[in-house]
């Protein structure tokens, strides 16, 4: 493959975060011209009516989406749509802009085809995202992943989520409550039953103000125990929200091929990519079995080819998302997965 043999080695000569913005800004320029936009869509977009899937009352052009964290400020939606994604999740956004954690904060594990990040919800804030979303593409589903500012206490976190919910409501198609990132101190404590129910119940009540109802989903960590996942099921059903995204990044470092010394030198952060696949699929299956049709699951974590995509769907996921593999496999991965799951038995 041209990407793996030529393009990726060149891109990997640059620091991870820098090359991300370099490539996405270049794609934004290319898709801005009709001829190159037509070429991009011809190469990577494989839309067919048979790929469409209705979930949460929304018509998704296909079942393959981009996970949150890639387009934090909704700056690259048009370029990403041209690459074939059926839905794009922007964010995580916080009410106020924040710089995130000090750089470097995004690291490649080449042997594992994985990433470690400790970005820390770096974003330009709610107002900046809203301005970008006013120019969103209309033929792709856009989700808004929302979080709290680092300096907002957990006791006041619900207000940050509600602020983002109201600000984005006219501009996105669904919401994701992110309480599972390991890179904001104390955030994962909001996955505990009491604070999580407070946030979700409040959001459900706030949603009642609108004539148009936006689905609300919860994103959970892969590091939860089965008992904790059981609590999540109970919370989702009790709160009345629409679904769960499983899973976010993991703090585990088990089974990596990268030397321990290199891992230790990187330090803290959430791991994504191939090593997460098995655990993420286990959580998707566990959730789907216990959901008993009461809510839907989006599967994400370690998907890197048609086989691992199909595993998530077979485990009960209604939709799937990719992130790290998009970096390691290149943009052609999306159309390969879409065609592959289209023809799966």
């Amino acid at each position: 493959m041209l990407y793996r043999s030529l393009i990726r080695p060149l891109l990997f000569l640059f620091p991870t975060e820098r090359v991300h913005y370099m490539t996405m800004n270049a794609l934004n320029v290319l898709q801005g011209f009709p001829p190159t936009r037509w070429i991009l869509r011809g190469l990577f977009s494989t839309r067919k009516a048979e790929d469409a899937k209705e979930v949460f009352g929304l018509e998704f052009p296909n079942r393959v989406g981009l996970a949150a964290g890639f387009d934090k400020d909704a700056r690259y939606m048009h370029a990403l749509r041209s690459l074939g994604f059926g839905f794009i999740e922007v964010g995580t956004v916080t009410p106020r802009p924040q710089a995130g954690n000090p750089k470097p904060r995004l690291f490649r594990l080449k042997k594992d085809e994985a990433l470690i990040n400790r970005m820390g919800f770096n974003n330009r804030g709610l107002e900046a995202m809203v301005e970008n979303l006013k120019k969103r593409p209309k033929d792709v589903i856009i989700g808004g992943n929302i979080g709290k500012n680092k300096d907002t206490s957990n006791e006041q976190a619900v207000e940050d989520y509600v602020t983002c919910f109201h600000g984005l409501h006219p501009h996105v198609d669904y919401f994701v409550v992110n309480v599972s990132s390991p890179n904001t101190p104390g955030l994962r404590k909001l996955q505990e039953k009491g604070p999580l129910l407070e946030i979700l119940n409040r959001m459900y009540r706030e949603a009642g103000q609108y004539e148009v109802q936006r689905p609300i989903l919860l994103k959970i960590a892969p590091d939860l125990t089965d008992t904790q996942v059981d609590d999540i099921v109970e919370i989702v059903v009790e709160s009345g929200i629409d679904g769960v995204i499983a899973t976010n990044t993991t703090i585990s470092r088990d089974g990596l091929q990268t030397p321990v010394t290199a891992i230790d030198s990187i330090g803290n952060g959430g791991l994504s990519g191939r090593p997460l696949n098995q655990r993420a699929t286990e959580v998707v299956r566990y959730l789907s079995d216990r959901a008993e049709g009461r809510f839907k699951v989006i599967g994400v974590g370690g998907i890197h080819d048609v086989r691992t995509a199909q595993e998530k769907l077979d485990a009960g996921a209604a939709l799937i998302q990719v992130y790290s593999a998009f970096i390691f496999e290149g943009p052609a991965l999306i159309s390969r997965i879409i065609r592959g799951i289209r023809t799966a038995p």
Side-chain angles (χ1 to χ4, degrees):
M1 292 173 56
L2 179 63
Y3 180 84
R4 290 180 66 97
S5 62
L6 179 61
I7 299 174
R8 189 175 80 177
L10 290 174
L11 294 177
F12 281 18
L13 294 174
F14 297 91
T16 313
E17 189 171 352
R18 185 191 303 174
V19 79
H20 169 75
Y21 290 110
M22 285 170 48
T23 54
M24 292 312 301
N25 287 335
L27 274 173
N28 253 8
V29 172
L30 289 173
Q31 73 82 35
F33 296 99
T36 48
R37 181 168 61 246
W38 180 83
I39 291 171
L40 284 172
R41 293 191 178 192
L43 287 172
F44 300 116
S45 187
T46 59
R47 292 195 171 195
K48 290 189 176 183
E50 63 193 278
D51 296 326
K53 178 77 171 178
E54 184 178 334
V55 186
F56 311 122
L58 300 171
E59 187 75 12
F60 289 78
N62 62 66
R63 290 183 284 176
V64 183
L66 180 67
F70 197 94
D71 190 3
K72 292 179 178 294
D73 297 302
R75 297 166 61 191
Y76 305 117
M77 297 174 290
H78 290 273
L80 292 165
R81 182 263 173 262
S82 294
L83 299 182
F85 287 103
F87 61 109
I88 300 161
E89 196 168 303
V90 297
T92 299
V93 67
T94 55
R96 291 171 282 110
Q98 61 182 29
N101 293 320
K103 298 178 182 179
R105 55 195 179 183
L106 182 61
F107 308 87
R108 304 182 193 98
L109 307 184
K110 296 179 185 178
K111 290 185 177 180
D112 296 288
E113 296 198 8
L115 300 172
I116 291 176
N117 92 82
R118 52 171 176 270
M119 304 299 286
F121 287 175
N122 59 303
N123 72 104
R124 299 182 180 185
L126 177 61
E127 289 186 10
M129 177 176 279
V130 167
E131 288 304 307
N132 291 334
L133 285 167
K134 289 177 181 178
K135 299 168 284 188
R136 57 163 285 182
K138 300 300 183 183
D139 59 348
V140 65
I141 297 293
I142 303 292
N145 188 295
I146 59 178
K148 79 173 187 71
N149 280 107
K150 183 177 181 178
D151 59 0
T152 299
S153 69
N154 279 4
E155 290 73 24
Q156 298 297 318
V158 64
E159 301 303 328
D160 277 12
Y161 288 98
V162 169
T163 296
C164 291
F165 178 77
H166 286 305
L168 294 184
H169 196 279
H171 308 290
V172 300
D173 301 299
Y174 70 89
F175 285 93
V176 180
V177 177
N178 189 348
V179 292
S180 53
S181 170
N183 300 316
T184 297
L187 184 74
R188 285 191 170 190
K189 292 182 179 179
L190 294 176
Q191 290 181 120
E192 296 173 5
K193 190 171 184 179
L196 186 53
L197 261 177
E198 179 187 3
I199 293 170
L200 297 181
N201 284 338
R202 175 74 180 279
M203 289 192 62
Y204 190 81
R205 291 197 301 272
E206 298 289 331
Q209 301 179 22
Y210 295 95
E211 181 177 350
V212 176
Q213 296 297 300
R214 308 293 189 204
I216 301 172
L217 286 70
L218 172 68
K219 189 165 188 175
I220 66 170
D223 308 306
L224 300 176
T225 65
D226 286 351
T227 299
Q228 290 172 314
V229 178
D230 287 336
D231 287 341
I232 293 294
V233 172
E234 184 178 332
I235 289 165
V236 170
V237 172
E238 183 176 338
S239 66
I241 68 166
D242 301 271
V244 177
I245 296 184
T247 63
N248 211 319
T249 58
T250 179
I251 57 174
S252 172
R253 300 293 187 263
D254 293 341
L256 296 179
Q257 299 179 48
T258 303
V260 174
T261 53
I263 298 297
D264 290 343
S265 70
I266 290 172
N268 295 332
L271 175 77
S272 62
R274 282 190 184 231
L276 184 54
N277 178 59
Q278 181 176 342
R279 176 56 185 162
T281 303
E282 290 171 355
V283 177
V284 169
R285 181 174 289 108
Y286 193 92
L287 270 173
S288 299
D289 289 345
R290 281 151 183 77
E292 298 178 338
R294 293 172 292 181
F295 59 84
K296 299 291 187 183
V297 178
I298 296 180
V300 55
I303 295 172
H304 55 270
D305 56 16
V306 174
R307 177 185 61 82
T308 49
Q310 191 63 51
E311 284 177 357
K312 293 290 190 299
L313 297 171
D314 292 342
L319 304 164
I320 55 176
Q321 293 176 321
V322 300
Y323 186 116
S324 299
F326 184 50
I327 296 168
F328 284 95
E329 299 293 333
L333 172 69
I334 311 309
S335 59
R336 288 202 304 271
I337 290 177
I338 293 168
R339 288 194 300 266
I341 63 178
R342 181 193 298 157
T343 58

